Amino acid sequence: MRGPGGFWYAVSLAWVAYFGVLQWSVVRFRVPIVLTLTACALGLAWWQLRRPGPGAPARGPVTLALAGSAVVTVAVPLFSYLPSGWQGVARGLLAMACLLTVAAMWRPTSRLLPAVVSGTAYLLAATVAVVTDPAPRIDVWVTLQQASDAIARGENFYAMAWTGSPGVQDAFTYLPWTAVLVAPGRWLAGDVRWALLAWGLLAMLGLLVLGRGRRPAVAAAALLVLAPGTLTQLDQAWTEPLLLAGLVWWAVLVDRGGTRTAWWAVLPLALACASKQHLAMLLPVLLLWRPFGPRRAVATGALAGALMLPWFVASPADFVHDTVTLLVGFHPIRFANTWYLLALNVYGVALPFWLTGLVVLGALGGVCLVVHRRQPGMAELLRWLALLLLLANLVNKQAFYNQFWLSGALVAASFAASAARPGPGRSATVGRGGWRIARSATTSAPAGTGSSSPGPAASG
């Protein structure tokens, strides 16, 4: 395919393939799934190495991606504990919402209507999942529920054993603020998934704010909440929507420009980093990106450490065991669709820890180097972060739908960021109906051009 239109249709097909195999991947290992995810990673890397990169997708490619999502949602096997009848209702609802969102996108009178349609479908699907499957048989949900109760009682959930967990029995494998930020769902409505729904909707709102409510941002939000496999994510209480909300609102506050606003971005990023371990890998990249800079990156790490400190002080041995040593030594789960499991399942070879660690460190070093040299805009930066997490997932021994989902979500966030008002280094190519906004300029831009008012923010 040639030209910007052909490029975006290729991106749309990759989006459908990526989330299509992810829906199929729960809970099964297949070599074609690993190969498809790898091909998408290579495609994203090729996209990132292009200079200049394209801006935001037009309606045609978005239509293709949403129509493909509808087909995949209905036709591809989906793992869920919902009763079969209600699962069919929820899947049909999400598929129909894809088509209604497409119809709404082509109505010139209401820019936000697609977001209303897709957000409502997301809310209804989550309601069906929580109400019809009140106790999913997964250790994530059990530990989050009981950790929330422990917080209410003033107990240390790192020193607890779980009652009725079908998996992990005696460890809370997340960082502590995952429990804190989902606990209100348990306290107020009896289920942490209500809080995860709220965080998902907050992330969606963040995409709209990041893209100033323009049509590509609306499309990005709709693509994200209607992605294939959404129902499984809602049902299983996977926590990545919480992480995405922190990252998106970080991007909003940085992209708004101004030194003071950029300093406020430390808070959502620190909360995300204090919720799940692997987000610490993003901080070296952000340290080298001047609109955020070393002082804010160090402050983020320090604040995240301070937020976690009470649990560490309460029981250092339990904290380190649950969040570090248990995970490093945890056995491979054979339905993780990664290169580690491909080597193990197909060839019977367990890759050494140093090799997978070397790949992750190599990817981190490469992304840091490129970001340091290029000082990209926000949209390109988000895709670099997505690629880094995707490569780390592909060599891990424990990477599933939810971890891969976060990489795709950051790519969607880059669409929204591309729709922001152009600053230095961007040229506004606003097409009919507000599409193809903020296409990259053909010349190199100074540091900090990712924000709409980059000057003061670049001083950090």
Side-chain angles (χ1 to χ4, degrees):
M1 295 182 181
R2 297 181 178 179
F7 171 83
W8 283 113
Y9 280 107
V11 171
S12 296
L13 292 174
W15 177 273
V16 175
Y18 182 82
F19 280 99
V21 297
L22 286 181
Q23 176 166 310
W24 187 36
S25 72
V26 188
V27 287
R28 59 178 58 82
F29 170 87
R30 296 290 187 276
V31 172
I33 296 175
V34 180
L35 296 180
T36 301
L37 296 175
T38 302
C40 290
L42 293 174
L44 180 57
W46 173 80
W47 178 3
Q48 287 298 90
L49 293 174
R50 297 180 70 192
R51 190 91 183 250
R59 277 180 292 194
V62 175
T63 296
L64 175 62
L66 284 170
S69 295
V71 173
V72 170
T73 297
V74 173
V76 174
L78 179 139
F79 181 83
S80 171
Y81 290 121
L82 273 66
S84 58
W86 283 110
Q87 182 187 142
V89 169
R91 294 175 74 169
L93 172 67
L94 292 169
M96 182 60 66
C98 289
L99 303 180
L100 292 175
T101 300
V102 167
M105 281 195 317
W106 290 91
R107 288 178 57 86
T109 56
S110 180
R111 179 185 295 176
L112 292 177
L113 183 58
V116 173
V117 172
S118 56
T120 301
Y122 185 74
L123 173 62
L124 292 175
T127 301
V128 171
V130 176
V131 172
T132 65
D133 181 21
R137 295 182 297 279
I138 183 170
D139 53 5
V140 174
W141 179 81
V142 172
T143 59
L144 291 176
Q145 290 281 99
Q146 295 179 25
S148 300
D149 293 339
I151 294 172
R153 296 190 302 265
E155 297 179 10
N156 178 16
F157 45 79
Y158 287 108
M160 292 177 59
W162 312 115
T163 302
S165 172
V168 175
Q169 301 284 338
D170 60 351
F172 187 81
T173 57
Y174 298 114
L175 295 179
W177 277 79
T178 291
V180 175
L181 294 174
V182 303
R186 170 65 169 169
W187 299 339
L188 299 177
D191 197 310
V192 293
R193 289 176 292 177
W194 294 118
L196 289 170
L197 167 62
W199 285 112
L201 293 174
L202 186 63
M204 183 182 185
L205 176 62
L207 293 178
L208 298 177
V209 175
L210 181 62
R212 275 66 172 177
R214 298 185 178 186
R215 293 188 188 275
V218 173
L223 283 169
L224 183 61
V225 297
L226 298 177
T230 290
L231 181 61
T232 297
Q233 175 132 295
L234 292 168
D235 183 30
Q236 301 293 288
W238 286 328
T239 60
E240 271 62 27
L242 166 63
L243 306 182
L244 178 65
L247 293 172
V248 167
W249 283 99
W250 166 84
V252 168
L253 292 169
V254 173
D255 207 52
R256 288 295 186 183
T259 302
R260 184 175 300 177
T261 304
W263 272 105
W264 277 110
V266 167
L267 179 58
L269 183 59
L271 287 170
C273 289
S275 298
K276 210 161 187 181
Q277 294 89 323
H278 64 279
L279 290 193
M281 187 168 52
L282 306 183
L283 289 181
V285 180
L286 301 182
L287 182 147
L288 297 170
W289 187 59
R290 292 188 205 125
F292 194 62
R295 288 187 296 167
R296 296 187 187 95
V298 170
T300 299
L303 179 56
L307 290 170
M308 295 184 287
L309 187 60
W311 288 271
F312 176 79
V313 171
S315 181
D318 287 327
F319 183 89
V320 173
H321 169 266
D322 289 11
T323 63
V324 180
T325 57
L326 174 70
L327 297 176
V328 170
F330 204 75
H331 65 274
I333 300 179
R334 290 183 175 270
F335 51 82
N337 285 275
T338 69
W339 280 99
Y340 187 101
L341 270 298
L342 186 146
L344 185 62
N345 289 340
V346 177
Y347 300 105
V349 175
L351 298 176
F353 179 78
W354 65 264
L355 179 59
T356 56
L358 187 63
V359 172
V360 173
L361 289 176
L364 175 59
V367 170
C368 284
L369 179 62
V370 174
V371 168
H372 175 64
R373 288 183 173 180
R374 283 192 179 183
Q375 293 300 315
M378 178 61 77
E380 183 183 341
L381 176 73
L382 290 171
R383 290 193 295 270
W384 280 118
L385 300 181
L387 180 61
L388 177 58
L389 293 176
L390 180 53
L391 292 175
N393 288 335
L394 280 171
V395 297
N396 206 338
K397 58 183 176 181
Q398 301 174 64
F400 309 102
Y401 176 95
N402 48 315
Q403 287 99 335
F404 287 110
W405 177 90
L406 184 59
S407 292
L410 288 174
V411 172
S414 78
F415 302 161
S418 295
R421 288 190 180 91
R426 291 178 180 169
S427 60
T429 58
V430 181
R432 184 178 179 181
W435 295 87
R436 293 185 189 171
I437 298 172
R439 186 181 177 90
S440 300
T442 57
T443 58
S444 297
T449 58
S451 69
S452 57
S453 179
S459 66

